[in-house]
Amino acid sequence: GAGVSQSPRYKVAKRGQDVALRCDPISGHVSLFWYQQALGQGPEFLTYFQNEAQLDKSGLPSDRFFAERPEGSVSTLKIQRTQQEDSAVYLCASSSTLQGASYGYTFGSGTRLTVV
Amino acid sequence: GNSVTQMEGPVTLSEEAFLTINCTYTATGYPSLFWYVQYPGEGLQLLLKATKADDKGSNKGFEATYRKETTSFHLEKGSVQVSDSAVYFCALGNTGNQFYFGTGTSLTVIP
């Protein structure tokens, strides 16, 4: 597609509920990233995929967070047993190169998750 | 380690005023530096970038120069418009494919 597409745009979850957030990167982009942006803060790295391989998951805050990209295209970020501190905007980004950090990513509009 | 320190906001300017948003960084090696802009309700958009020392990135009237000696990448624009109202993020990209973002500076331009 023309840009990085994320769905849903907004998600309200009750505490303890599981959620799944979807990211459709730009077609052909090999690198895919997830970031978490708390209110009034800059985005913070969660995880990185190169094609279907998850090469870095050092930013995932707990084992309740899980990400996958099984066919090297669409990715899903899953959060189990959501807690209030999980409330944030979750941003997906993709890059056509393996050196995205040197040249820049294209970000999606994000999914705003509110846990009540 | 890698980190970015960004001028805190919010910043309010009158239309046609001069804008500076300060950004300094700490990094190992030779990072690339970026400014991203986030309009209300939207995702981050790449505004400009510089990949090595003394490079100047520019776009839409905005400029920033990669200063290794002062570890800075300040964003400037000579004459802001109401449409420039947004949140601006300074970011650093280094080996390992991670970006490190500042906390963002909110800019409001009033007519």
Side-chain angles (χ1 to χ4, degrees):
Chain A
V4 178
S5 178
Q6 292 188 246
S7 60
R9 282 297 305 271
Y10 303 94
K11 176 69 179 177
V12 178
K14 291 185 178 179
R15 196 163 62 123
Q17 186 179 354
D18 296 350
V19 298
L21 313 179
R22 178 186 169 102
C23 172
D24 276 279
I26 293 174
S27 179
H29 275 198
V30 298
S31 299
L32 184 145
F33 311 83
W34 284 97
Y35 281 77
Q36 180 189 57
Q37 185 178 15
L39 187 65
Q41 300 297 314
E44 294 193 353
F45 173 81
L46 293 177
T47 187
Y48 161 59
F49 289 86
Q50 184 183 117
N51 296 307
E52 68 277 5
Q54 188 175 21
L55 298 188
D56 188 345
K57 54 182 181 179
S58 61
L60 296 177
S62 78
D63 59 7
R64 295 185 296 104
F65 287 71
F66 171 75
E68 61 183 6
R69 193 186 185 199
E71 297 178 358
S73 178
V74 170
S75 177
T76 304
L77 176 67
K78 298 179 179 178
I79 309 173
Q80 298 177 323
R81 305 181 303 281
T82 51
Q83 303 295 315
Q84 282 195 314
E85 61 263 27
D86 300 335
S87 295
V89 175
Y90 290 85
L91 295 167
C92 177
S94 69
S95 171
S96 60
T97 77
L98 300 179
Q99 294 83 35
S102 295
Y103 298 104
Y105 312 152
T106 302
F107 280 85
S109 297
T111 294
R112 180 177 298 278
L113 172 66
T114 304
V115 181
V116 298
Chain B
N2 299 297
S3 67
V4 172
T5 302
Q6 192 174 334
M7 169 178 154
E8 291 193 15
V11 174
T12 303
L13 294 174
S14 297
E15 205 166 22
E16 299 184 2
F18 185 85
L19 169 71
T20 300
I21 301 178
N22 290 337
C23 172
T24 57
Y25 68 90
T26 302
T28 54
Y30 304 96
S32 295
L33 299 172
F34 304 83
W35 278 99
Y36 276 83
V37 59
Q38 188 171 39
Y39 298 101
E42 298 185 16
L44 295 166
Q45 298 178 24
L46 178 63
L47 181 59
L48 54 83
K49 67 183 180 187
T51 57
K52 61 183 188 298
D54 299 325
D55 269 2
K56 177 185 283 188
S58 61
N59 186 26
K60 300 181 181 179
F62 290 89
E63 293 183 341
T65 301
Y66 187 159
R67 302 281 188 204
K68 195 167 187 294
E69 63 275 14
T70 54
T71 61
S72 66
F73 193 55
H74 305 320
L75 182 68
E76 296 182 336
K77 187 174 185 183
S79 176
V80 293
Q81 305 300 312
V82 172
S83 57
D84 294 327
S85 298
V87 180
Y88 292 81
F89 291 93
C90 185
L92 176 158
N94 213 335
T95 57
N97 264 296
Q98 284 192 35
F99 262 26
Y100 300 86
F101 286 89
T103 54
T105 301
S106 174
L107 170 66
T108 301
V109 180
I110 54 177

